[in-house]
Every structure is written in structure tokens, then in C-alpha cells.
Amino acid sequence: MIPASRSRAFARAILSSHGSRHLSSTSSTPITSVLIANRGEIALRVGRTASELGVRCTTIYTDPDAHSQHALSSPFAVNLGAANAYLDGERIISVAKEQGCEALHPGYGFLSENSAFAKRCVEEGLVFIGPPWKAIEAMGNKSRSKDIMIKAGVPCIPGYHGTNQEPEYLLEEARKIGFPVMVKAVKGGGGKGMRIAFNEQEFLDKLESAKSEGRNSFGDDVMLVEKYIGTPRHIEVQIFADKYGNAVALGERDCSLQRRHQKILEEAPAPNLAEDIRQDLWEKARAAALAVGYEGAGTVEFIFDNDTNEFFFMEMNTRLQVEHPVTEAITGEDLVSWQFKVAAGEPLPLDQETIAQRISERGWAIEARIYAENPSQNFMPDSGKLIHLRTPQISQSVRIDAGFIEGDTVSSNYDGMIAKLIVSGPTREVAIGKLHAALQDYKVVGLSTNIEFLKKICKSPAFIRGEVETGYIQKHNGELFAPESVEPETFAQAALGLLAKELSGSGVPASQGPHGQSIGFAPSSQRQFTFLTSTGSDAELVQVSINQSGRNLFDVIVNGQGLDMTYTNVICEPLAPSISTFFPHTRIESTIIADGDKITLFQRGKQTQLTLATPSWYEKALGLKDVANSILAPMPCKVLRNEVKEGDAVEKDQALVVIESMKMETVIRSPQKGVIARLVHKEGDICKAGTVLVLFEEVSR
């Protein structure tokens, strides 16, 4: 691995000619009030820095966000109403003026890269805390931005960026470029409106899917077609510029760990990157900023070819990035503070040489995005109430930027990011170790998250070696999604935890419900609990029998799924919601959270999810339906289109329905071969999680 400090002298030599700052005729007017035109963690993040600068903050929120943390963070908060109102630029500008705000900070996403909105802010006398609208316009159109970059000497990937959008014409251009190709919305971002076509046969379907997502996400379905690089890395450079002609690069970030073309882990500096290439990236990023008269924070994104060590301009994000905290960690600077200062007319706080020196001395930083999603189901988005939330201890090297606390609801109306966990260390190896340790202390119950998956990334040998690429997850799929067995002590702890809750009087006695069954005449002498490790057709039952022989003293038997273990004289001490158990061979401390029949355990840095098995007699008593012949909505969603018709014969894995949730399209595929009996919902219908979408004809037995 090449250390960041290897070529400090080289870095200074490269950058010193560009590090001088133009300070003549500077004038600035401090900003005293701002409207934060965003939500969630970035609204809170901007608000913290604004408050430190003495700037009065006004926040906005929608009906689904009425009780959100950002809505509660300021006494000056205005309800915009409908869920999509964060995109109502005119209404937001009107609120800013009504509240007497001098400036508007767009955060990221929503209107942050909308040049028309930035222009309207200026026309209405508001300071837009971002780049000039003309720069946003120039870089927001991917076709035009590539033309600008080529003229500025920044290398661009081969592709078609023209105006002819006929599908057959785009297919012909794809043939000229050579498959595989990437089809991408020219106004896209955040991984939306992008598809990879590996051959001619699938090109038109991928094109239509990308166009549909572009229309839904950006109101525009104009596409470009580019050569798809087989083993790429996503490396981006954080730049900052002021109105005096100063432009600096604040280092690069590697954002190659992605799913659905969206980042889940970012780090700075980029690992295994030769120093001359690093400095060339910085220089090209600065050239990109200067080419469009840029001001403020921006990120120049490059595709780096692992096979050839070549890099190509991909796009420029004319805003603060989600992953800006890793740059703050390696520079020691508050980038939001820089945004306010540049918007107020101040020159950049540091020159390039000072920044390069800082980066060479401050080690490594990694950010992991904590998402509400299910990695084992192709990272299917999830939503719901955070019924239990515990976070790692904050320190100088562990930071959390979050928009939610325990009790909050992650809505299906918006992106499912719960928080960002940022760690730093003197070396990459130390930073990875800190990230893994912090993830072990991150406990979320109420919805699916990617925390366990992120832990596996931290232990993946190729990641530890820095052998990253955007296809990393697919390449190492077998390792990252390898099935894990559940230890017998885990089942024992689940049963002991439920029993402890019952005996403490804080829950429904097991003898009165369907899951825990009393045996014999003494209600506290013996219990049986039956667990499922999954709810699919391959689910297996594990039975735990507990015999209480004294105060906090138990004998425990675990049977099923190849397990046959007996533990005698087990001492279990309740510490609600945790228990501390002394088995004959070890001590285990577990936190057990019950949500209906869903049981979540946290022990020894690992999360395990179990389901209490419902006895067949109880299902019949309640009249529970057999849903074996149906497909259910996995989350609250909108039906975009049905891909089949009633009466169609379908194969396993065939596309049935396309839904949208959290601004992402998801294809629901058939779990079996069969015949479609009924399509329950039509295009445009809004469905709750668990709603039946498709019914199959019953197979006679």
C-alpha cells in the first residue's frame, strides 16, 4: 500500500504554482440568517455549523417529517405540507423571504443541483450557498459537461452525448462504442437513472428502465451512452473555489464500494494509488472547476480503470457530498463553514500547499452509510419505526451524523439512510479496525439494516488489502453472503431473555400466548420456546426447553437444526433489556429486543434475528391466510407497472411487477414457476408493506 505521505515534496512541487491565493480587492458580508432547504442528517449537519457561526436557522419540513429531528431542531420551522414539497422551489423561496432569511443552503439532493432554483434565489435577493447557477447548469448536463471537460484537457470516457434520443439510434451508437455500455440520465445522480447493458439483446430494456427512473427522479429522460469499464474504481476529488479565482483540491475519496450504483462506504485517501496519479487527479479536478468559473464546494468524480491505471471524468456534483465528513477528517476543516464563508464573499481559508501538508499528516478516514435495507434481498429498501437504537461511543476518532433517534420512523417517502458512521486513524488498517469495532456497537431494531453486511466488508481480505472496485460486492458475493449458522447458546439466550421479561412482569406471560407454552402444573418451573431462523420455505425449527431449578438458576436444552445441547446449572442475571448468563463453559451478555414474534439479539458484536414459531392450532384459531400462492409487497411502495398479464405462464425469477420506494425502482420477480391468476394492483396504486401484489393459480395436489 502506498502511504499518503510518501511524496510530500513531490506534492508541494506539483501544487505550489497553483497554491497562491488572490487576496486583492476582497469584500465580504457575513451571513446572519439562513433557510436550510433540506431534511434529515444534512439539515442537522448544516444547522450545527450555522449555529456555531451565529447564524439563525429556519428549517422546513413536510407532513411525514412533522416529528423529525431536523423539524424540531429550530424554533423557526415551517411545514410545507405534502411529502414531495422539498422540491417546490418557489414555495421554499417564499418561506425564506417570509422568515427574513438572507441566505439559503440546499444541502444535497432535492434542489441542490437545480440551476433554475439557484437562479431564482439570486433573483429574489437570497444568497444561494452553492456555486453560481451558470456553473450548475453547465455541469448538471452530463453531455455538455463532458464537452467542457474535453476543452479543458480533462480526459473523458468514450461515449455518445448527443441530442438524438431515438432508441434505435442509441442502440447503433452503443454498437459503435462496443458492449458493455452504461446508459445514464444526463441530469441524473445518486445512482438513479443508470443501467448497464452487457449486450445488444438487453440494451433497449435497460434503456427504457433508465429513462423511466430518470423521469420519476429528475423529470427528464434524456440519456447518454458510455463505454462501461469492467474493473473500475470510483475516485472523486473534493474541490473548493472562491470568487477571487482561487481553487483548491482537498484530497480525493475512494467511493468504489457500491450497490445499485449508490455508495455505501467511502474512504480518504484512496488506497493503492500512485502519488503521481493522485496529484494528476487533483490537478484535473481543479482544472474542471476553473473551466466553469466555479465557486463553493464541488466534487469532481472520475472512473479509474484498475487494469490500465487510466482515469476519466465522469461528472461533477455541484454541491456538498454525503461523504464530505471523511474529507473533514483528513483535513481538519469544517467544509460547511467554508461554504458559508465563500458565499459571504470571503477568500478560501487555506491554500493548496497547506492542504496537501495537512492530508499527509492526518492519516485515514472511512465512512459507512447505515441504511434501512435488506442486503440479503438485493438491498431491498426498508422502512419503519426505530423501536431500539444504540450507537457507538462518540470520540475524536468516531463521529456519527444522523437524522433519527430511537422512536423515530424511517419513511418510505425518502432515502433510507439512517446515519453515517465516520472513523479515522493513523493508518488505513487502524481505521478499518475502528470501523468494525464501532459497527459492533451499533444496534438497530424495527427494520432491516446493512450493519451486519458492513461488518463483513471490514473483514473481507481483499478490502483490507485495498483491492477495491465498483463491482466488489458482486465479485465477492459468495464470501459476503455466505450463510452463517446460529450457535446453540444464541437460541438459549433468546429463550432466557424472553423468560426473564415474563418473570419481571414487563411482558405478556408466555403461558397466555401462542409462542411460549407452559408444561406441567407449576407455571414458572418449565417453559418451551420454538424459534425459526428464517421465514422462508427452508425454515427449520429449533426448540428450547428451560427448567428453573432456583432463583436465576436454570437447565437449558436446545434441540433442532442439527443441534442437541444441554446446559446445566446456568446462572442468568436479568439486566433489562439485557441478560448476563454464566454457562458452564463461558459467560455471554446479550441484549434481547422483542417486536411481536420477531426477536433480535445482540451479543459479542453480532446481531441475530429469530422468529417465534406460531403453532398451527393458533393460526387456525385466528384464521390466518395461507399466502404460499401470493407475492407480497416487501415495503410501502407505488406500483409503477405490471410486467405480466393475468393468465400468463411465468418462469422462476421472471419479472412480475416494478415498484418504487424511497425513490428507487425495484423489480419483483417470481419465486416459482406458475400461472398468474390475478394482478391485484394497477399502475399508480400505493401499497402498504405486506399487501398482496400477485396471486398464482393454485396447483392441484
Side-chain angles (χ1 to χ4, degrees):
M1 185 179 295
I2 302 170
S5 59
R6 173 174 150 182
S7 303
R8 290 183 197 166
F10 177 74
R12 292 196 189 103
I14 289 280
L15 297 166
S16 60
S17 61
H18 303 289
S20 59
R21 295 162 61 205
H22 309 287
L23 302 177
S24 60
S25 303
T26 61
S27 62
S28 63
T29 304
I31 294 168
T32 61
S33 58
V34 65
L35 181 138
I36 303 172
N38 217 295
R39 65 179 298 276
E41 65 87 14
I42 188 59
L44 293 167
R45 165 73 188 90
V46 172
R48 283 195 298 272
T49 290
S51 297
E52 290 172 2
L53 295 173
V55 178
R56 176 175 66 84
C57 297
T58 296
T59 58
I60 56 175
Y61 61 94
T62 60
D63 291 339
D65 273 346
H67 300 287
S68 64
Q69 297 308 303
H70 82 271
L72 303 173
S73 66
S74 169
F76 307 98
V78 178
N79 185 2
L80 299 179
N84 64 353
Y86 292 117
L87 294 171
D88 189 344
E90 290 301 321
R91 174 89 169 94
I92 291 170
I93 290 171
S94 175
V95 169
K97 295 178 69 176
E98 290 168 4
Q99 295 291 314
C101 297
E102 298 172 348
L104 183 146
H105 195 300
Y108 54 69
F110 295 121
L111 295 168
S112 62
E113 294 183 278
N114 187 310
S115 59
F117 176 68
K119 184 180 181 182
R120 286 288 296 126
C121 287
V122 175
E123 290 173 346
E124 292 296 327
L126 294 169
V127 176
F128 182 77
I129 302 180
W133 68 266
K134 288 186 177 180
I136 299 175
E137 184 178 67
M139 302 310 287
N141 185 301
K142 290 180 170 55
S143 296
R144 184 179 168 195
S145 67
K146 288 184 184 339
D147 292 338
I148 295 170
M149 291 303 100
I150 290 170
K151 291 176 183 175
V154 181
C156 293
I157 194 166
Y160 173 74
H161 313 127
T163 57
N164 190 331
Q165 292 291 300
E166 288 298 319
E168 290 298 333
Y169 185 84
L170 293 177
L171 174 57
E172 184 57 36
E173 290 297 319
R175 291 190 185 109
K176 293 178 184 176
I177 296 166
F179 287 93
V181 297
M182 172 81 78
V183 289
K184 184 162 43 175
V186 297
K187 291 188 178 180
K192 299 179 179 69
M194 297 169 57
R195 296 291 186 273
I196 302 166
F198 288 96
N199 53 57
E200 288 189 33
Q201 290 70 34
E202 65 180 16
F203 177 83
L204 293 177
D205 286 341
K206 293 295 181 70
L207 174 65
E208 177 52 37
S209 180
K211 288 169 76 71
S212 173
E213 200 165 84
R215 285 191 297 269
N216 291 329
S217 299
F218 316 108
D220 191 299
D221 64 357
V222 177
M223 293 284 134
L224 59 80
V225 184
E226 292 182 333
K227 179 66 180 174
Y228 176 69
I229 296 173
T231 56
R233 287 170 66 179
H234 178 128
I235 300 178
E236 61 188 33
V237 179
Q238 176 72 61
I239 61 96
F240 242 98
D242 60 26
K243 68 179 183 180
Y244 307 106
N246 302 304
V248 295
L250 288 95
E252 81 287 347
R253 300 182 288 253
D254 191 296
C255 309
S256 299
L257 265 290
Q258 303 179 4
R259 87 284 182 266
R260 294 184 170 209
H261 306 298
Q262 286 189 307
K263 308 160 190 172
I264 55 173
L265 195 148
E266 305 98 343
E267 60 180 304
N272 296 337
L273 189 66
E275 192 64 27
D276 58 336
I277 296 175
R278 188 188 315 277
Q279 300 305 329
D280 197 17
L281 280 164
W282 292 13
E283 186 61 24
K284 293 297 190 296
R286 291 182 65 258
L290 294 170
V292 290
Y294 204 80
E295 295 174 25
T299 299
V300 184
E301 298 189 343
F302 296 95
I303 286 289
F304 181 85
D305 191 333
N306 267 346
D307 295 330
T308 65
N309 282 343
E310 295 177 292
F311 62 84
F312 305 94
F313 172 81
M314 184 167 57
E315 62 184 355
M316 184 175 187
N317 289 315
T318 53
R319 55 172 167 81
L320 197 66
Q321 291 279 83
V322 176
E323 58 272 19
H324 74 273
V326 294
T327 298
E328 293 182 324
I330 64 166
T331 60
E333 292 295 307
D334 182 335
L335 299 192
V336 176
S337 176
W338 277 42
Q339 285 188 296
F340 274 92
K341 291 175 181 177
V342 168
E346 295 183 32
L348 295 178
L350 298 176
D351 62 20
Q352 189 67 72
E353 185 174 358
T354 304
I355 292 166
Q357 179 69 23
R358 289 264 191 99
I359 292 172
S360 71
E361 297 171 345
R362 291 182 64 87
W364 223 276
I366 308 176
E367 173 183 285
R369 302 190 190 188
I370 310 298
Y371 272 107
E373 63 183 17
N374 190 333
S376 65
Q377 294 185 12
N378 195 28
F379 299 93
M380 183 87 72
D382 201 359
S383 58
K385 186 177 180 179
L386 297 167
I387 65 172
H388 179 83
L389 176 63
R390 297 293 182 272
T391 59
Q393 184 70 38
I394 304 301
S395 68
Q396 287 189 334
S397 60
V398 177
R399 165 180 168 180
I400 298 174
D401 284 9
F404 299 93
I405 62 172
E406 184 175 291
D408 285 352
T409 296
V410 178
S411 169
S412 61
N413 291 294
Y414 307 111
D415 182 80
M417 189 172 70
I418 299 170
K420 301 181 306 195
L421 173 62
I422 307 101
V423 302
S424 56
T427 66
R428 186 172 185 269
E429 290 77 8
V430 171
I432 292 173
K434 284 188 174 182
L435 178 60
H436 186 261
L439 287 166
Q440 289 183 311
D441 291 335
Y442 220 123
K443 302 172 182 178
V444 179
V445 180
L447 39 67
S448 301
T449 76
N450 64 339
I451 293 174
E452 293 303 303
F453 179 77
L454 291 169
K455 292 177 191 175
K456 291 184 178 181
I457 291 285
C458 292
K459 290 297 184 180
S460 179
F463 174 73
I464 293 171
R465 294 192 297 269
E467 298 170 3
V468 293
E469 59 182 276
T470 58
Y472 190 93
I473 293 173
Q474 296 91 326
K475 184 175 182 178
H476 299 275
N477 185 277
E479 168 199 342
L480 297 174
F481 292 96
E484 292 185 286
S485 60
V486 181
E487 297 297 320
E489 292 86 354
T490 301
F491 292 107
Q493 287 290 82
L496 287 167
L498 292 173
L499 182 59
K501 183 179 179 182
E502 172 200 334
L503 296 177
S504 70
S506 60
V508 177
S511 57
Q512 295 181 15
H515 304 299
Q517 302 171 48
S518 293
I519 297 177
F521 297 101
S524 62
S525 64
Q526 191 171 355
R527 291 286 186 277
Q528 279 188 355
F529 295 89
T530 303
F531 299 99
L532 295 168
T533 52
S534 72
T535 56
S537 58
D538 59 342
E540 294 187 57
L541 298 176
V542 174
Q543 190 175 82
V544 181
S545 300
I546 300 176
N547 183 63
Q548 184 172 4
S549 55
R551 180 175 174 81
N552 296 340
L553 188 63
F554 305 90
D555 293 331
V556 183
I557 300 173
V558 180
N559 273 299
Q561 207 169 349
L563 301 175
D564 185 9
M565 296 294 297
T566 300
Y567 305 102
T568 58
N569 298 321
V570 173
I571 300 172
C572 179
E573 299 175 349
L575 307 166
S578 300
I579 58 171
S580 181
T581 306
F582 293 82
F583 290 90
H585 60 296
T586 188
R587 184 184 74 85
I588 301 177
E589 190 165 310
S590 306
T591 298
I592 298 103
I593 307 296
D595 181 20
D597 62 352
K598 306 298 182 185
I599 309 300
T600 304
L601 291 90
F602 299 96
Q603 62 186 41
R604 294 181 170 175
K606 182 179 178 181
Q607 176 183 351
T608 303
Q609 293 181 311
L610 303 173
T611 301
L612 279 162
T614 305
S616 57
W617 63 263
Y618 195 71
E619 290 184 350
K620 291 177 181 176
L622 294 183
L624 298 180
K625 283 185 179 179
D626 178 10
V627 292
N629 290 312
S630 62
I631 301 292
L632 308 181
M635 69 198 96
C637 63
K638 176 182 179 181
V639 175
L640 293 182
R641 60 186 177 274
N642 290 309
E643 299 283 19
V644 293
K645 298 188 293 295
E646 293 178 0
D648 283 359
V650 298
E651 298 295 325
K652 188 176 186 295
D653 294 326
Q654 183 174 335
L656 302 179
V657 184
V658 180
I659 63 172
E660 181 187 56
S661 182
M662 296 180 175
K663 305 301 181 185
M664 294 293 293
E665 283 192 15
T666 300
V667 178
I668 305 298
R669 298 184 181 277
S670 178
Q672 63 191 45
K673 183 177 180 179
V675 177
I676 304 299
R678 185 183 169 203
L679 297 171
V680 181
H681 291 280
K682 63 182 184 300
E683 180 178 328
D685 283 359
I686 305 299
C687 304
K688 295 181 179 180
T691 301
V692 175
L693 298 176
V694 180
L695 286 170
F696 289 96
E697 290 186 0
E698 291 192 21
V699 179
S700 57
R701 305 191 181 190

